[in-house]
Amino acid sequence: VSKMSITNTPTSNDACLSIVHSLMCHRQGGESETFAKRAIESLVKKLKEKKDELDSLITAITTNGAHPSKCVTIQRTLDGRLQVAGRKGFPHVIYARLWRWPDLHKNELKHVKYCQFAFDLKADNVCVNPYHYERVVSPGIGTLMVKDEYEFENQPSHSGADSHHQTIQHQPSRPGGPQEFSSPALLPSPEGSSSASTSAFSSLAAGASTPDYWCSIAYFEMDVQVGETFKVPASCPTVTVDGYVDPSGGDRFCLGQLSNVHRTEAIERARLHIGKGVQLECKGEGDVWVRCLSDHAVFVQSYYLDREAGRAPGDAVHKIYPSAYIKVFDLRQCHRQMQQQAATAQAAAAAQAAAVAGNIPGPGSVGGIAPAISLSAAAGIGVDDLRRLCILRMSFVKGWGPDYPRQSIKETPCWIEIHLHRALQLLDEVLHTMPIADPQPLD
């Protein structure tokens, strides 16, 4: 009777292929079919010599854990992780995700009392029976406080009122819609309301044509660009950049299928964690919002966020947590900034030329230069500095800056650079009305 009640369920005597086929039918769909198949095949082959354990696995999976089952073990590797289809992860987590919780984080598993080879027991063999583990999510903490699996850096210590950290954290906003900005350091923007230059901007914008592509995205590993630059058509205001291997096109740029001969194991490992990646959304004429869909934070360089946090442009790195939705670029503010900088550079260049000719101008005659900027620095503002205002950079999984061992984004394993075409178009117009010479070296 028992044989009849579980019709079509294979036993350990059946061919690997039919066992794998049966176990595939119970997967939760969080992983690609290829990955799932490789993971299950590899496990079934390892258990082929241990028939009772293989039967335990088949029973546990096909009955959804309805009956108590024995430990299902594989040999522990040196670093504790298992490699499947070019990806590494903890074995008990891989199989628990596959058959029980597709969105499981590795710190959420606790083994049941009767499991003798649970991962945490550090035995030579590891039990991967998904029904020998329970999922625990600490109340109130959610997944934000969970230490990143691959981020071994010391987190900045938050000592008292010291908020001079270069990494500014952006948590998901409270239920009730997105917030434009949320940070511990919310300072008033240096120049008050933004409505002053609105009229000048709208008239300028009115005569302008909208670019065919609203942005182009280049993907880098360390300092090497990998694959072609991906252009996002204006007809796709929302684009997703993720770690999957589907073909890219339209509103989706998949990084998983890009190959790089210089790729190291560390890069390979970080790439596995891009996952669902990020969503970039173009709003209005060219403002940009980011939603972090990945299970890991993304780190962003954004002059808009620097300014909102009362920081100097380029002074901070912004850590955007999973499921946070945040504005990272403001077209009007960028336009204002490029106009100011171009005017400053022009005035400084003129003043410098005058000084070289022997006419030293009196104080206050250099228009609009903040006292902190010396004449030569202001004259040194080049087109590249203005172009930088129109570019966003974003690293997956790994941070950089003073709080991390990596000093620049070019030392992070996987990152993207986003060129915003409408802003670059406005820059062309600004440079047309206020041409600035590229800085000449002073003899």
Side-chain angles (χ1 to χ4, degrees), residues 217-235:
I217 305 170
Y219 168 65
F220 294 84
E221 291 176 359
M222 313 293 272
D223 57 354
V224 176
Q225 182 175 348
V226 177
E228 300 283 310
T229 298
F230 183 78
K231 289 182 162 181
V232 185
S235 56

Side-chain angles (χ1 to χ4, degrees), residues 152-439:
F152 296 116
E153 275 87 75
N154 298 327
Q155 285 300 309
S157 56
H158 293 281
S159 50
D162 172 24
S163 63
H164 294 298
H165 292 302
Q166 281 7 78
T167 310
I168 297 174
Q169 326 242 333
H170 301 272
Q171 311 274 6
S173 51
R174 304 286 157 268
Q179 293 167 318
E180 290 229 354
F181 185 78
S182 55
S183 146
L186 237 184
L187 304 180
S189 124
E191 32 153 80
S193 139
S194 63
S195 55
S197 63
T198 304
S199 53
F201 179 84
S202 342
S203 60
L204 200 156
S209 56
T210 315
D212 295 340
Y213 297 94
W214 70 266
C215 75
S216 49
I217 305 170
Y219 168 65
F220 294 84
E221 291 176 359
M222 313 293 272
D223 57 354
V224 176
Q225 182 175 348
V226 177
E228 300 283 310
T229 298
F230 183 78
K231 289 182 162 181
V232 185
S235 56
C236 300
T238 303
V239 60
T240 305
V241 182
D242 60 40
Y244 299 118
V245 294
D246 304 297
S248 298
D251 63 352
R252 190 164 172 220
F253 184 18
C254 297
L255 307 177
Q257 35 98 11
L258 301 175
S259 55
N260 171 12
V261 289
H262 305 293
R263 188 171 290 155
T264 61
E265 200 180 330
I267 294 175
E268 193 66 78
R269 228 175 20 238
R271 275 169 53 85
L272 302 181
H273 289 269
I274 297 173
K276 292 180 181 159
V278 293
Q279 204 173 52
L280 306 168
E281 190 179 346
C282 179
K283 288 191 172 183
E285 195 185 334
D287 292 355
V288 180
W289 291 66
V290 166
R291 180 177 266 114
C292 177
L293 304 173
S294 171
D295 294 339
H296 296 262
V298 293
F299 296 81
V300 177
Q301 186 179 58
S302 149
Y303 290 167
Y304 168 75
L305 288 179
D306 292 342
R307 193 168 186 136
E308 292 294 302
R311 289 300 181 72
D315 184 39
V317 177
H318 300 268
K319 181 175 185 177
I320 299 186
Y321 280 89
S323 76
Y325 177 58
I326 187 165
K327 183 176 182 176
V328 291
F329 181 80
D330 183 289
L331 188 67
R332 278 199 159 74
Q333 188 216 63
C334 173
H335 183 230
R336 240 189 354 262
Q337 222 168 341
M338 55 177 84
Q339 282 177 318
Q340 283 169 358
Q341 285 196 15
T344 300
Q346 249 193 342
Q352 209 174 38
V356 171
N359 317 323
I360 308 294
S365 62
V366 176
I369 297 184
I373 302 183
S374 69
L375 251 186
S376 58
I381 295 174
V383 176
D384 279 352
D385 298 290
L386 296 180
R387 280 179 65 81
R388 216 164 285 145
L389 300 173
C390 312
I391 294 172
L392 291 167
R393 286 173 157 188
M394 194 176 296
S395 164
F396 295 97
V397 187
K398 297 289 191 181
W400 79 93
D403 300 330
Y404 294 91
R406 295 166 290 274
Q407 285 317 295
S408 113
I409 196 169
K410 292 184 176 180
E411 293 168 38
T412 64
C414 36
W415 59 280
I416 52 176
E417 182 169 271
I418 302 141
H419 289 239
L420 302 168
H421 295 185
R422 182 67 188 109
L424 288 163
Q425 213 178 36
L426 288 177
L427 176 58
D428 281 347
E429 293 174 18
V430 167
L431 291 173
H432 197 71
T433 53
M434 280 186 278
I436 61 173
D438 261 327

Side-chain angles (χ1 to χ4, degrees), residues 117-143:
F117 295 96
F119 183 81
D120 293 340
L121 299 178
K122 304 272 191 284
D124 289 342
N125 287 335
V126 179
C127 176
V128 293
N129 182 339
Y131 292 94
H132 276 203
Y133 294 89
E134 288 165 352
R135 185 176 189 177
V136 287
V137 183
S138 336
I141 291 185
T143 50

